[in-house]
Amino acid sequence: MAGSPGAGSREAGSPEADSAGADSAGDKEPPTGAVTTVTAVVSLAADCWFELQVAQYPGLVVHAARLEDAETAVVNALSQLTGRDPGEFEVHLQY
């Protein structure tokens, strides 16, 4: 398509090439059905609940009364935050 206007006018690494398609939904979240693995750092909060900070989503802090509820609590919070299906998340706990 050398004869097309604007064809080849973006060089790799240029701001125009880097921003091309930046508004598409696929750039912000993985495609539906893709499993996203996140790491939740576990600590004990002052109120004796477990506090879970999700490394890949800064500012997302989840609380769970029991450690066995931690993964479910994180998945539910991520699902509400992103609008994705809970089955699309895998949570690794870091102690």
Side-chain angles (χ1 to χ4, degrees):
M1 303 236 176
S4 301
S9 63
R10 293 186 179 131
E11 294 180 29
S14 70
E16 295 85 8
D18 292 344
S19 65
D23 293 334
S24 68
D27 291 341
K28 295 182 181 179
E29 291 295 329
T32 304
V35 175
T36 300
T37 302
V38 298
T39 301
V41 180
V42 181
S43 61
L44 190 58
D47 58 2
C48 293
W49 281 57
F50 290 99
E51 182 175 277
L52 308 148
Q53 295 186 7
V54 182
Q56 292 82 357
Y57 291 84
L60 178 61
V61 179
V62 181
H63 291 92
R66 299 181 314 201
L67 197 51
E68 60 254 21
D69 297 332
E71 287 185 44
T72 302
V74 171
V75 165
N76 290 339
L78 287 169
S79 180
Q80 288 180 341
L81 179 68
T82 64
R84 293 175 55 200
D85 185 72
E88 296 179 19
F89 295 100
E90 180 178 311
V91 179
H92 290 193
L93 299 178
Q94 180 180 342
Y95 303 96

